[in-house]
Short mmCIF file of all heavy atoms in Angstrom, two decimals:
data_model
loop_
_atom_site.label_atom_id
_atom_site.label_comp_id
_atom_site.label_asym_id
_atom_site.label_seq_id
_atom_site.Cartn_x
_atom_site.Cartn_y
_atom_site.Cartn_z
N MET A 1 47.78 85.22 84.35
CA MET A 1 46.68 86.05 83.91
C MET A 1 45.79 86.44 85.08
O MET A 1 45.04 87.39 85.00
CB MET A 1 45.90 85.31 82.84
CG MET A 1 44.73 86.05 82.31
SD MET A 1 44.77 86.81 80.70
CE MET A 1 45.30 85.64 79.57
N ALA A 2 45.90 85.71 86.18
CA ALA A 2 45.03 86.02 87.32
C ALA A 2 45.35 87.37 87.93
O ALA A 2 44.48 88.00 88.52
CB ALA A 2 45.16 84.93 88.38
N GLY A 3 46.59 87.83 87.79
CA GLY A 3 46.97 89.09 88.38
C GLY A 3 46.60 90.30 87.54
O GLY A 3 46.79 91.42 87.96
N SER A 4 46.08 90.10 86.36
CA SER A 4 45.73 91.24 85.50
C SER A 4 44.22 91.43 85.48
O SER A 4 43.46 90.60 85.91
CB SER A 4 46.24 91.01 84.08
OG SER A 4 45.49 90.01 83.45
N SER A 5 43.82 92.57 84.96
CA SER A 5 42.39 92.83 84.82
C SER A 5 42.01 92.77 83.34
O SER A 5 41.22 93.56 82.86
CB SER A 5 42.04 94.19 85.42
OG SER A 5 42.75 95.21 84.76
N HIS A 6 42.58 91.82 82.63
CA HIS A 6 42.36 91.66 81.21
C HIS A 6 40.87 91.46 80.91
O HIS A 6 40.25 90.52 81.39
CB HIS A 6 43.15 90.46 80.70
CG HIS A 6 42.90 90.11 79.28
ND1 HIS A 6 43.40 90.85 78.25
CD2 HIS A 6 42.18 89.13 78.71
CE1 HIS A 6 43.01 90.33 77.11
NE2 HIS A 6 42.27 89.27 77.36
N GLY A 7 40.29 92.36 80.14
CA GLY A 7 38.92 92.22 79.71
C GLY A 7 37.87 92.74 80.65
O GLY A 7 36.68 92.66 80.36
N HIS A 8 38.27 93.27 81.79
CA HIS A 8 37.29 93.75 82.75
C HIS A 8 37.02 95.24 82.55
O HIS A 8 37.24 96.06 83.43
CB HIS A 8 37.78 93.49 84.18
CG HIS A 8 37.93 92.04 84.49
ND1 HIS A 8 36.91 91.29 85.03
CD2 HIS A 8 38.95 91.19 84.31
CE1 HIS A 8 37.31 90.05 85.16
NE2 HIS A 8 38.55 89.96 84.74
N THR A 9 36.55 95.58 81.35
CA THR A 9 36.26 96.97 81.01
C THR A 9 34.90 97.06 80.35
O THR A 9 34.41 96.07 79.80
CB THR A 9 37.32 97.54 80.05
OG1 THR A 9 37.26 96.82 78.82
CG2 THR A 9 38.73 97.43 80.63
N PRO A 10 34.28 98.22 80.38
CA PRO A 10 32.99 98.36 79.69
C PRO A 10 33.10 98.06 78.19
O PRO A 10 32.18 97.47 77.60
CB PRO A 10 32.61 99.82 79.91
CG PRO A 10 33.33 100.22 81.16
CD PRO A 10 34.61 99.42 81.15
N ALA A 11 34.21 98.43 77.56
CA ALA A 11 34.38 98.15 76.12
C ALA A 11 34.40 96.65 75.85
O ALA A 11 33.74 96.17 74.92
CB ALA A 11 35.68 98.80 75.62
N ALA A 12 35.13 95.90 76.67
CA ALA A 12 35.22 94.45 76.47
C ALA A 12 33.87 93.78 76.71
O ALA A 12 33.43 92.95 75.91
CB ALA A 12 36.28 93.87 77.39
N TRP A 13 33.22 94.13 77.80
CA TRP A 13 31.93 93.51 78.11
C TRP A 13 30.88 93.80 77.04
O TRP A 13 30.14 92.91 76.62
CB TRP A 13 31.42 93.98 79.47
CG TRP A 13 32.04 93.25 80.61
CD1 TRP A 13 33.05 93.69 81.40
CD2 TRP A 13 31.72 91.93 81.06
NE1 TRP A 13 33.37 92.72 82.32
CE2 TRP A 13 32.57 91.65 82.15
CE3 TRP A 13 30.80 90.98 80.66
CZ2 TRP A 13 32.52 90.44 82.83
CZ3 TRP A 13 30.75 89.77 81.35
CH2 TRP A 13 31.60 89.51 82.41
N THR A 14 30.82 95.05 76.60
CA THR A 14 29.82 95.42 75.60
C THR A 14 30.07 94.70 74.28
O THR A 14 29.15 94.15 73.67
CB THR A 14 29.81 96.94 75.39
OG1 THR A 14 29.59 97.57 76.64
CG2 THR A 14 28.74 97.36 74.41
N GLY A 15 31.33 94.69 73.84
CA GLY A 15 31.67 94.01 72.59
C GLY A 15 31.35 92.53 72.63
O GLY A 15 30.80 91.96 71.68
N VAL A 16 31.67 91.88 73.75
CA VAL A 16 31.41 90.44 73.87
C VAL A 16 29.91 90.15 73.93
O VAL A 16 29.43 89.19 73.32
CB VAL A 16 32.15 89.87 75.09
CG1 VAL A 16 31.69 88.47 75.42
CG2 VAL A 16 33.65 89.89 74.85
N ILE A 17 29.17 90.95 74.67
CA ILE A 17 27.73 90.71 74.77
C ILE A 17 27.04 90.87 73.42
O ILE A 17 26.21 90.05 73.03
CB ILE A 17 27.10 91.64 75.84
CG1 ILE A 17 27.54 91.18 77.23
CG2 ILE A 17 25.58 91.65 75.73
CD1 ILE A 17 27.18 92.13 78.34
N ILE A 18 27.41 91.92 72.68
CA ILE A 18 26.81 92.11 71.35
C ILE A 18 27.19 90.96 70.43
O ILE A 18 26.35 90.43 69.70
CB ILE A 18 27.23 93.47 70.75
CG1 ILE A 18 26.60 94.61 71.56
CG2 ILE A 18 26.83 93.57 69.28
CD1 ILE A 18 27.11 95.98 71.19
N SER A 19 28.45 90.55 70.47
CA SER A 19 28.89 89.43 69.62
C SER A 19 28.18 88.13 70.01
O SER A 19 27.82 87.33 69.13
CB SER A 19 30.40 89.24 69.73
OG SER A 19 31.06 90.36 69.20
N PHE A 20 27.98 87.91 71.30
CA PHE A 20 27.28 86.71 71.74
C PHE A 20 25.84 86.69 71.25
O PHE A 20 25.33 85.65 70.82
CB PHE A 20 27.32 86.61 73.27
CG PHE A 20 26.64 85.40 73.81
CD1 PHE A 20 27.19 84.14 73.65
CD2 PHE A 20 25.42 85.50 74.46
CE1 PHE A 20 26.56 83.01 74.13
CE2 PHE A 20 24.78 84.39 74.95
CZ PHE A 20 25.35 83.13 74.79
N ILE A 21 25.18 87.83 71.31
CA ILE A 21 23.81 87.92 70.79
C ILE A 21 23.79 87.60 69.30
O ILE A 21 22.94 86.85 68.82
CB ILE A 21 23.20 89.30 71.09
CG1 ILE A 21 22.95 89.44 72.60
CG2 ILE A 21 21.90 89.52 70.31
CD1 ILE A 21 22.60 90.84 73.05
N GLY A 22 24.75 88.16 68.56
CA GLY A 22 24.83 87.87 67.13
C GLY A 22 25.09 86.40 66.86
O GLY A 22 24.53 85.81 65.93
N PHE A 23 25.94 85.77 67.68
CA PHE A 23 26.21 84.35 67.54
C PHE A 23 24.94 83.53 67.76
O PHE A 23 24.67 82.57 67.03
CB PHE A 23 27.30 83.94 68.54
CG PHE A 23 27.59 82.48 68.58
CD1 PHE A 23 28.36 81.89 67.60
CD2 PHE A 23 27.07 81.68 69.59
CE1 PHE A 23 28.63 80.54 67.63
CE2 PHE A 23 27.33 80.33 69.63
CZ PHE A 23 28.12 79.75 68.65
N CYS A 24 24.17 83.90 68.77
CA CYS A 24 22.91 83.19 69.05
C CYS A 24 21.91 83.36 67.90
O CYS A 24 21.26 82.40 67.49
CB CYS A 24 22.30 83.67 70.36
SG CYS A 24 23.25 83.19 71.81
N VAL A 25 21.81 84.58 67.38
CA VAL A 25 20.90 84.84 66.25
C VAL A 25 21.33 84.01 65.04
O VAL A 25 20.50 83.36 64.39
CB VAL A 25 20.88 86.34 65.92
CG1 VAL A 25 20.19 86.61 64.59
CG2 VAL A 25 20.19 87.12 67.04
N ALA A 26 22.63 84.02 64.75
CA ALA A 26 23.13 83.25 63.60
C ALA A 26 22.87 81.76 63.80
O ALA A 26 22.50 81.05 62.85
CB ALA A 26 24.63 83.51 63.40
N GLY A 27 23.03 81.26 65.02
CA GLY A 27 22.78 79.85 65.30
C GLY A 27 21.33 79.46 65.09
O GLY A 27 21.03 78.41 64.52
N VAL A 28 20.42 80.30 65.55
CA VAL A 28 18.99 80.01 65.39
C VAL A 28 18.64 79.97 63.90
O VAL A 28 17.94 79.05 63.44
CB VAL A 28 18.14 81.06 66.14
CG1 VAL A 28 16.68 80.98 65.71
CG2 VAL A 28 18.28 80.89 67.64
N PHE A 29 19.11 80.95 63.15
CA PHE A 29 18.76 80.99 61.74
C PHE A 29 19.49 79.91 60.94
O PHE A 29 18.99 79.47 59.90
CB PHE A 29 19.03 82.37 61.15
CG PHE A 29 17.95 83.36 61.49
CD1 PHE A 29 18.19 84.41 62.35
CD2 PHE A 29 16.68 83.23 60.95
CE1 PHE A 29 17.21 85.31 62.68
CE2 PHE A 29 15.67 84.13 61.26
CZ PHE A 29 15.94 85.18 62.14
N MET A 30 20.64 79.44 61.41
CA MET A 30 21.31 78.34 60.73
C MET A 30 20.48 77.07 60.89
O MET A 30 20.29 76.31 59.93
CB MET A 30 22.71 78.14 61.31
CG MET A 30 23.49 77.06 60.58
SD MET A 30 25.20 76.97 61.07
CE MET A 30 25.07 76.57 62.79
N VAL A 31 19.96 76.84 62.10
CA VAL A 31 19.13 75.66 62.33
C VAL A 31 17.82 75.79 61.55
O VAL A 31 17.29 74.79 61.04
CB VAL A 31 18.85 75.50 63.84
CG1 VAL A 31 17.82 74.43 64.11
CG2 VAL A 31 20.14 75.18 64.58
N ALA A 32 17.31 77.01 61.41
CA ALA A 32 16.06 77.23 60.68
C ALA A 32 16.28 77.25 59.16
O ALA A 32 15.31 77.43 58.42
CB ALA A 32 15.44 78.55 61.11
N ALA A 33 17.51 77.04 58.72
CA ALA A 33 17.86 77.03 57.28
C ALA A 33 17.47 78.33 56.60
O ALA A 33 16.90 78.33 55.51
CB ALA A 33 17.22 75.82 56.60
N ASN A 34 17.78 79.45 57.24
CA ASN A 34 17.50 80.76 56.69
C ASN A 34 18.83 81.50 56.52
O ASN A 34 19.34 82.09 57.48
CB ASN A 34 16.57 81.53 57.62
CG ASN A 34 16.15 82.86 57.05
OD1 ASN A 34 16.82 83.43 56.22
ND2 ASN A 34 15.02 83.36 57.53
N PRO A 35 19.40 81.47 55.31
CA PRO A 35 20.73 82.08 55.11
C PRO A 35 20.75 83.59 55.36
O PRO A 35 21.75 84.11 55.85
CB PRO A 35 21.09 81.77 53.67
CG PRO A 35 20.02 80.92 53.12
CD PRO A 35 18.92 80.82 54.11
N VAL A 36 19.68 84.28 55.05
CA VAL A 36 19.66 85.74 55.26
C VAL A 36 19.76 86.06 56.75
O VAL A 36 20.52 86.93 57.17
CB VAL A 36 18.39 86.36 54.62
CG1 VAL A 36 18.30 87.83 54.95
CG2 VAL A 36 18.38 86.12 53.12
N GLY A 37 18.99 85.36 57.57
CA GLY A 37 19.05 85.56 59.01
C GLY A 37 20.41 85.19 59.59
O GLY A 37 20.93 85.84 60.48
N PHE A 38 21.00 84.11 59.04
CA PHE A 38 22.33 83.70 59.49
C PHE A 38 23.34 84.81 59.24
O PHE A 38 24.12 85.16 60.14
CB PHE A 38 22.76 82.41 58.77
CG PHE A 38 24.21 82.08 58.97
CD1 PHE A 38 24.63 81.50 60.16
CD2 PHE A 38 25.14 82.37 58.00
CE1 PHE A 38 25.97 81.20 60.35
CE2 PHE A 38 26.48 82.08 58.18
CZ PHE A 38 26.90 81.49 59.36
N TRP A 39 23.35 85.35 58.04
CA TRP A 39 24.33 86.41 57.72
C TRP A 39 24.03 87.70 58.48
O TRP A 39 24.95 88.46 58.81
CB TRP A 39 24.40 86.63 56.22
CG TRP A 39 25.12 85.47 55.56
CD1 TRP A 39 24.57 84.54 54.74
CD2 TRP A 39 26.49 85.11 55.73
NE1 TRP A 39 25.51 83.61 54.39
CE2 TRP A 39 26.71 83.94 54.97
CE3 TRP A 39 27.54 85.64 56.45
CZ2 TRP A 39 27.95 83.31 54.93
CZ3 TRP A 39 28.78 85.01 56.40
CH2 TRP A 39 28.97 83.86 55.64
N ALA A 40 22.76 87.93 58.80
CA ALA A 40 22.43 89.09 59.64
C ALA A 40 23.03 88.89 61.04
O ALA A 40 23.58 89.83 61.63
CB ALA A 40 20.93 89.28 59.72
N GLY A 41 22.94 87.68 61.57
CA GLY A 41 23.55 87.38 62.86
C GLY A 41 25.06 87.53 62.82
O GLY A 41 25.68 88.05 63.76
N MET A 42 25.68 87.11 61.72
CA MET A 42 27.13 87.26 61.57
C MET A 42 27.51 88.75 61.50
O MET A 42 28.57 89.15 62.00
CB MET A 42 27.63 86.51 60.34
CG MET A 42 27.49 85.01 60.45
SD MET A 42 28.26 84.30 61.90
CE MET A 42 29.97 84.60 61.57
N ALA A 43 26.66 89.55 60.89
CA ALA A 43 26.92 90.99 60.85
C ALA A 43 26.86 91.59 62.26
O ALA A 43 27.66 92.47 62.60
CB ALA A 43 25.90 91.67 59.93
N VAL A 44 25.96 91.08 63.09
CA VAL A 44 25.88 91.55 64.47
C VAL A 44 27.14 91.15 65.25
O VAL A 44 27.64 91.91 66.07
CB VAL A 44 24.60 91.03 65.16
CG1 VAL A 44 24.58 91.37 66.64
CG2 VAL A 44 23.36 91.59 64.47
N VAL A 45 27.67 89.96 64.96
CA VAL A 45 28.93 89.53 65.59
C VAL A 45 30.04 90.53 65.25
O VAL A 45 30.78 90.98 66.13
CB VAL A 45 29.32 88.11 65.13
CG1 VAL A 45 30.73 87.77 65.59
CG2 VAL A 45 28.33 87.08 65.67
N LEU A 46 30.16 90.89 63.99
CA LEU A 46 31.18 91.85 63.57
C LEU A 46 30.91 93.23 64.18
O LEU A 46 31.85 93.94 64.55
CB LEU A 46 31.23 91.94 62.05
CG LEU A 46 31.74 90.69 61.35
CD1 LEU A 46 31.64 90.86 59.84
CD2 LEU A 46 33.16 90.37 61.77
N LEU A 47 29.65 93.59 64.29
CA LEU A 47 29.28 94.86 64.91
C LEU A 47 29.76 94.91 66.36
O LEU A 47 30.20 95.96 66.84
CB LEU A 47 27.76 95.07 64.83
CG LEU A 47 27.23 96.34 65.49
CD1 LEU A 47 27.72 97.56 64.70
CD2 LEU A 47 25.72 96.30 65.55
N GLY A 48 29.69 93.80 67.05
CA GLY A 48 30.17 93.74 68.43
C GLY A 48 31.65 94.08 68.52
O GLY A 48 32.08 94.82 69.41
N GLY A 49 32.44 93.58 67.57
CA GLY A 49 33.86 93.91 67.55
C GLY A 49 34.10 95.38 67.26
O GLY A 49 34.96 96.02 67.89
N VAL A 50 33.34 95.93 66.34
CA VAL A 50 33.48 97.35 65.99
C VAL A 50 33.09 98.23 67.18
O VAL A 50 33.79 99.20 67.50
CB VAL A 50 32.64 97.69 64.75
CG1 VAL A 50 32.60 99.18 64.49
CG2 VAL A 50 33.18 96.95 63.53
N VAL A 51 32.00 97.88 67.85
CA VAL A 51 31.56 98.66 69.01
C VAL A 51 32.61 98.59 70.12
O VAL A 51 32.94 99.61 70.75
CB VAL A 51 30.18 98.17 69.51
CG1 VAL A 51 29.85 98.74 70.88
CG2 VAL A 51 29.11 98.53 68.52
N GLY A 52 33.16 97.41 70.37
CA GLY A 52 34.19 97.27 71.39
C GLY A 52 35.42 98.11 71.08
O GLY A 52 35.96 98.78 71.97
N LEU A 53 35.86 98.10 69.83
CA LEU A 53 37.02 98.92 69.44
C LEU A 53 36.71 100.41 69.54
O LEU A 53 37.56 101.20 69.97
CB LEU A 53 37.46 98.56 68.02
CG LEU A 53 38.16 97.21 67.88
CD1 LEU A 53 38.41 96.91 66.40
CD2 LEU A 53 39.45 97.19 68.66
N ALA A 54 35.50 100.80 69.15
CA ALA A 54 35.13 102.21 69.24
C ALA A 54 35.08 102.67 70.70
O ALA A 54 35.54 103.77 71.02
CB ALA A 54 33.78 102.44 68.56
N MET A 55 34.56 101.81 71.58
CA MET A 55 34.51 102.17 72.99
C MET A 55 35.91 102.24 73.59
O MET A 55 36.20 103.09 74.43
CB MET A 55 33.64 101.18 73.76
CG MET A 55 32.16 101.33 73.46
SD MET A 55 31.15 100.14 74.34
CE MET A 55 31.29 100.75 76.02
N LYS A 56 36.79 101.34 73.14
CA LYS A 56 38.18 101.39 73.62
C LYS A 56 38.84 102.68 73.16
O LYS A 56 39.56 103.32 73.93
CB LYS A 56 38.95 100.18 73.10
CG LYS A 56 40.37 100.13 73.59
CD LYS A 56 41.09 98.91 73.09
CE LYS A 56 42.54 98.93 73.57
NZ LYS A 56 43.31 97.83 73.03
N ALA A 57 38.59 103.08 71.93
CA ALA A 57 39.16 104.32 71.41
C ALA A 57 38.60 105.53 72.16
O ALA A 57 39.28 106.56 72.29
CB ALA A 57 38.87 104.46 69.92
N ALA A 58 37.38 105.41 72.68
CA ALA A 58 36.76 106.50 73.43
C ALA A 58 37.24 106.54 74.88
O ALA A 58 36.80 107.39 75.65
CB ALA A 58 35.24 106.36 73.39
N GLY A 59 38.11 105.61 75.26
CA GLY A 59 38.68 105.62 76.60
C GLY A 59 38.03 104.69 77.59
O GLY A 59 38.30 104.77 78.79
N LEU A 60 37.17 103.79 77.13
CA LEU A 60 36.49 102.87 78.03
C LEU A 60 37.14 101.50 78.10
O LEU A 60 36.59 100.57 78.68
CB LEU A 60 35.03 102.73 77.62
CG LEU A 60 34.21 104.01 77.76
CD1 LEU A 60 32.83 103.82 77.14
CD2 LEU A 60 34.10 104.43 79.20
N GLY A 61 38.32 101.36 77.50
CA GLY A 61 39.06 100.10 77.52
C GLY A 61 40.31 100.23 78.36
O GLY A 61 40.58 101.27 78.97
N MET A 62 41.10 99.18 78.39
CA MET A 62 42.36 99.20 79.14
C MET A 62 43.39 100.00 78.38
O MET A 62 43.58 99.79 77.19
CB MET A 62 42.90 97.77 79.32
CG MET A 62 42.11 96.92 80.27
SD MET A 62 42.36 97.34 81.98
CE MET A 62 44.06 96.95 82.19
N PRO A 63 44.09 100.92 79.05
CA PRO A 63 45.17 101.63 78.37
C PRO A 63 46.35 100.69 78.13
O PRO A 63 46.56 99.75 78.90
CB PRO A 63 45.55 102.74 79.36
CG PRO A 63 45.11 102.23 80.69
CD PRO A 63 43.92 101.34 80.42
N LYS A 64 47.09 100.93 77.05
CA LYS A 64 48.26 100.12 76.77
C LYS A 64 49.35 100.43 77.78
O LYS A 64 49.52 101.57 78.20
CB LYS A 64 48.76 100.37 75.35
CG LYS A 64 47.83 99.82 74.30
CD LYS A 64 48.48 99.85 72.96
CE LYS A 64 47.55 99.21 71.95
NZ LYS A 64 48.14 99.09 70.66
N GLU A 65 50.10 99.41 78.13
CA GLU A 65 51.16 99.57 79.11
C GLU A 65 52.38 100.23 78.46
O GLU A 65 52.82 99.83 77.39
CB GLU A 65 51.54 98.19 79.66
CG GLU A 65 52.53 98.22 80.78
CD GLU A 65 52.74 96.85 81.37
OE1 GLU A 65 53.26 95.98 80.66
OE2 GLU A 65 52.38 96.66 82.54
N SER A 66 52.94 101.22 79.12
CA SER A 66 54.11 101.91 78.60
C SER A 66 55.34 101.03 78.78
O SER A 66 55.36 100.10 79.59
CB SER A 66 54.31 103.24 79.32
OG SER A 66 54.66 103.01 80.66
N ALA A 67 56.41 101.34 78.05
CA ALA A 67 57.65 100.58 78.15
C ALA A 67 58.24 100.71 79.56
O ALA A 67 58.78 99.75 80.12
CB ALA A 67 58.64 101.05 77.10
N GLU A 68 58.11 101.90 80.13
CA GLU A 68 58.62 102.12 81.48
C GLU A 68 57.88 101.25 82.50
O GLU A 68 58.48 100.67 83.40
CB GLU A 68 58.47 103.59 81.85
CG GLU A 68 58.98 103.94 83.22
CD GLU A 68 58.79 105.41 83.56
OE1 GLU A 68 58.57 106.22 82.64
OE2 GLU A 68 58.84 105.73 84.76
N MET A 69 56.59 101.15 82.35
CA MET A 69 55.79 100.32 83.26
C MET A 69 56.14 98.84 83.09
O MET A 69 56.20 98.10 84.08
CB MET A 69 54.30 100.55 83.00
CG MET A 69 53.43 99.89 84.01
SD MET A 69 53.71 100.64 85.60
CE MET A 69 52.16 100.42 86.35
N ALA A 70 56.39 98.41 81.86
CA ALA A 70 56.76 97.02 81.61
C ALA A 70 58.10 96.70 82.27
O ALA A 70 58.28 95.62 82.85
CB ALA A 70 56.83 96.75 80.12
N ARG A 71 59.06 97.63 82.19
CA ARG A 71 60.37 97.42 82.84
C ARG A 71 60.20 97.36 84.36
O ARG A 71 60.82 96.53 85.03
CB ARG A 71 61.34 98.53 82.45
CG ARG A 71 61.87 98.40 81.04
CD ARG A 71 63.02 99.35 80.78
NE ARG A 71 62.63 100.75 80.93
CZ ARG A 71 62.15 101.52 79.96
NH1 ARG A 71 61.98 101.01 78.76
NH2 ARG A 71 61.82 102.78 80.19
N ALA A 72 59.37 98.24 84.92
CA ALA A 72 59.15 98.23 86.36
C ALA A 72 58.49 96.93 86.80
O ALA A 72 58.84 96.37 87.85
CB ALA A 72 58.28 99.42 86.75
N ARG A 73 57.56 96.43 86.01
CA ARG A 73 56.90 95.16 86.33
C ARG A 73 57.91 94.01 86.30
O ARG A 73 57.91 93.13 87.15
CB ARG A 73 55.75 94.90 85.37
CG ARG A 73 54.95 93.67 85.71
CD ARG A 73 53.84 93.40 84.71
NE ARG A 73 53.01 94.54 84.42
CZ ARG A 73 51.98 94.94 85.17
NH1 ARG A 73 51.69 94.29 86.26
NH2 ARG A 73 51.26 95.97 84.81
N ALA A 74 58.80 94.03 85.30
CA ALA A 74 59.82 92.98 85.20
C ALA A 74 60.78 93.03 86.39
O ALA A 74 61.16 92.00 86.94
CB ALA A 74 60.58 93.11 83.89
N ARG A 75 61.19 94.25 86.80
CA ARG A 75 62.08 94.39 87.96
C ARG A 75 61.40 93.90 89.24
O ARG A 75 62.01 93.21 90.07
CB ARG A 75 62.50 95.85 88.13
CG ARG A 75 63.58 96.28 87.19
CD ARG A 75 64.19 97.62 87.60
NE ARG A 75 63.20 98.67 87.80
CZ ARG A 75 62.78 99.52 86.88
NH1 ARG A 75 63.26 99.44 85.64
NH2 ARG A 75 61.89 100.46 87.16
N ALA A 76 60.12 94.20 89.39
CA ALA A 76 59.38 93.76 90.57
C ALA A 76 59.25 92.25 90.59
O ALA A 76 59.39 91.62 91.65
CB ALA A 76 58.00 94.42 90.62
N ALA A 77 59.00 91.64 89.46
CA ALA A 77 58.88 90.19 89.40
C ALA A 77 60.22 89.54 89.71
O ALA A 77 60.27 88.51 90.41
CB ALA A 77 58.39 89.77 88.02
N GLN A 78 61.30 90.12 89.21
CA GLN A 78 62.62 89.57 89.46
C GLN A 78 62.99 89.73 90.94
O GLN A 78 63.61 88.84 91.53
CB GLN A 78 63.66 90.24 88.58
CG GLN A 78 64.99 89.54 88.57
CD GLN A 78 65.93 90.15 87.55
OE1 GLN A 78 65.76 91.28 87.15
NE2 GLN A 78 66.90 89.36 87.12
N ALA A 79 62.59 90.81 91.56
CA ALA A 79 62.87 91.03 92.97
C ALA A 79 62.11 90.02 93.84
O ALA A 79 62.62 89.60 94.89
CB ALA A 79 62.50 92.45 93.36
N GLN A 80 60.94 89.62 93.43
CA GLN A 80 60.17 88.65 94.19
C GLN A 80 60.83 87.27 94.14
O GLN A 80 60.79 86.52 95.09
CB GLN A 80 58.75 88.54 93.66
CG GLN A 80 57.85 89.66 94.12
CD GLN A 80 56.43 89.46 93.62
OE1 GLN A 80 56.19 88.75 92.65
NE2 GLN A 80 55.49 90.11 94.30
N VAL A 81 61.43 86.95 92.99
CA VAL A 81 62.07 85.64 92.83
C VAL A 81 63.36 85.56 93.64
O VAL A 81 63.69 84.54 94.22
CB VAL A 81 62.36 85.36 91.33
CG1 VAL A 81 63.19 84.10 91.15
CG2 VAL A 81 61.06 85.26 90.57
N SER A 82 64.08 86.67 93.71
CA SER A 82 65.38 86.69 94.42
C SER A 82 65.24 86.57 95.90
O SER A 82 64.44 86.97 96.59
CB SER A 82 66.14 87.98 94.11
OG SER A 82 66.35 88.06 92.72
#
């Protein structure tokens, strides 16, 4: 995984940051015994996932690897071993 740039995109960072904020909000309200605030925080967590997917669809995420690129990567890895 060290050789890839998995998750190093604006879509990934934005989605994770929003979800983390929602997680923190839900945690605070869980300790405060406030179910409405907890579920609001959980909604923010889900919103982070939706925002990340929307940004990826808008072109701010990693493009999927084509079959041709996967074959080339496999050939290059095999050539390094030989």
Side-chain angles (χ1 to χ4, degrees):
M1 180 105 51
S4 71
S5 60
H6 174 75
H8 297 269
T9 64
W13 279 101
T14 304
V16 168
I17 289 170
I18 292 171
S19 295
F20 180 72
I21 291 169
F23 175 78
C24 291
V25 168
V28 166
F29 281 111
M30 184 171 62
V31 171
N34 184 336
V36 174
F38 169 78
W39 287 111
M42 294 306 293
V44 173
V45 170
L46 293 175
L47 178 67
V50 171
V51 167
L53 287 174
M55 288 179 70
K56 182 178 178 184
L60 295 172
M62 289 286 296
K64 290 191 176 185
E65 186 173 66
S66 67
E68 181 181 343
M69 188 64 151
R71 286 190 299 270
R73 185 182 311 278
R75 282 193 307 269
Q78 192 173 22
Q80 281 183 339
V81 172
S82 300

